C-alpha cells in the first residue's frame, strides 16, 4: 500500500462522497462479515471540524460509549474494546496502556494517573499522533478499513496533519478517501 493523490473535477451540487466515488470504476459491493463502522452523526458540528470531536465520536462509537455512561463505565467499555481489538496484535502491554491513555484523552475520558495529563500540549499531540495510526492499524488487521472525510478544505490544520500522519504511519488494508475543493489541493 502506498499514497496516491487522485484529482478529479467534481460536478456541481453533488453532495455525497459515495456518488463521487463512481470514478473508481466497476467497484462492486459484496456482502461480507460485519466490519467496524464508526459513522459520525448527522448533527456533526459544521465547519471547521474539530479533530478532537471527530476522533472522540469514532471512539465512542467503537467502544459503544454513551453520554449517559459514568466515567468508570466509559473507561471499562474502552478498556474492554481495546483489549479485544489488540489481542491479536504485536502491541506490548506497555504499548496497549499508552494507547488506552491517549485514546481516553481523545474521548475526554478521565483516567486516574494518566501521564498525558502532565504533558505539555506538544507532548500530548505526539502521543495522539502515535496512538491513532496504531488504533486504525489494529482495526485494519481485522478487516479492511475505509476512512472517508468529506470537505477537508473546511478542516483545521490539526485534522489535516492527523490525516497526513495516518497516511504515513498506519499499516494494513486501509483506504483514506477525502474530498476537498481544488484550491485546497493546490495550497497543500
Amino acid at each position: 500500500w502506498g499514497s496516491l493523490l487522485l484529482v478529479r473535477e467534481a460536478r456541481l451540487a453533488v453532495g455525497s462522497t459515495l456518488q463521487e466515488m463512481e470514478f473508481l470504476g466497476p467497484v462492486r459491493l459484496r456482502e461480507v462479515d460485519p466490519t467496524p463502522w464508526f459513522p459520525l452523526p448527522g448533527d456533526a458540528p459544521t465547519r471547521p471540524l474539530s479533530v478532537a470531536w471527530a476522533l472522540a465520536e469514532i471512539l465512542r462509537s467503537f467502544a459503544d460509549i454513551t453520554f449517559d455512561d459514568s466515567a468508570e463505565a466509559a473507561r471499562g467499555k474502552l478498556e474492554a474494546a481495546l483489549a479485544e481489538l489488540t489481542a491479536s496484535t504485536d502491541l506490548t502491554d506497555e504499548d496497549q496502556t499508552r494507547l488506552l491513555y491517549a485514546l481516553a484523552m481523545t474521548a475526554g475520558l478521565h483516567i486516574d494517573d494518566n501521564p498525558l495529563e502532565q504533558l505539555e500540549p506538544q507532548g500530548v499531540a505526539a502521543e495522539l499522533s502515535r496512538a491513532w495510526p496504531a488504533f486504525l492499524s489494529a482495526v485494519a488487521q481485522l478487516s479492511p478499513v475505509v476512512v472517508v472525510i468529506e470537505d477537508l478544505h473546511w478542516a483545521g490544520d490539526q485534522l489535516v496533519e492527523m490525516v497526513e500522519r495516518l497516511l504515513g504511519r498506519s499499516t494494513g488494508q486501509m483506504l483514506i478517501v477525502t474530498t476537498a475543493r481544488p484550491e485546497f489541493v493546490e495550497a497543500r
Side-chain angles (χ1 to χ4, degrees):
W1 291 75
S3 298
L4 169 68
L5 174 62
L6 178 62
V7 178
R8 178 183 178 274
E9 191 70 28
R11 293 182 306 256
L12 293 176
V14 175
S16 169
T17 298
L18 294 178
Q19 289 173 338
E20 281 297 302
M21 289 175 64
E22 70 186 28
F23 68 86
L24 292 174
V27 174
R28 300 284 183 251
L29 298 177
R30 60 185 172 88
E31 286 192 34
V32 295
D33 292 334
T35 57
W37 173 246
F38 314 122
L40 296 179
D43 60 349
T46 55
R47 302 141 177 88
L49 181 60
S50 159
V51 66
W53 180 88
L55 297 177
E57 284 297 308
I58 290 169
L59 281 178
R60 283 191 278 275
S61 180
F62 164 74
D64 197 28
I65 296 171
T66 68
F67 287 108
D68 295 330
D69 288 332
S70 68
E72 288 179 24
R75 176 188 174 162
K77 286 181 175 182
L78 182 58
E79 285 178 334
L82 286 175
E84 182 178 338
L85 176 66
T86 59
S88 62
T89 66
D90 59 356
L91 291 176
T92 66
D93 289 343
E94 180 181 339
D95 289 339
Q96 289 180 27
T97 301
R98 288 178 71 176
L99 183 63
L100 172 67
Y101 286 142
L103 296 180
M105 181 164 270
T106 302
L109 299 175
H110 175 74
I111 295 181
D112 292 333
D113 301 321
N114 186 339
L116 274 67
E117 292 177 359
Q118 306 304 315
L119 297 178
E120 295 292 322
Q122 297 85 356
V124 173
E127 285 295 316
L128 295 181
S129 70
R130 283 188 285 274
W132 275 92
F135 170 70
L136 288 178
S137 294
V139 174
Q141 284 185 3
L142 299 176
S143 65
V145 173
V146 177
V147 177
V148 179
I149 304 169
E150 290 189 282
D151 297 331
L152 192 60
H153 53 272
W154 290 112
D157 289 339
Q158 287 181 320
L159 181 55
V160 174
E161 290 168 8
M162 180 61 75
V163 171
E164 290 170 348
R165 284 187 209 107
L166 290 173
L167 284 170
R169 297 180 179 177
S170 298
T171 60
Q173 298 181 49
M174 186 178 313
L175 174 65
I176 299 177
V177 178
T178 65
T179 63
R181 292 183 177 163
E183 55 271 16
F184 173 83
V185 175
E186 293 166 7
R188 300 297 286 182

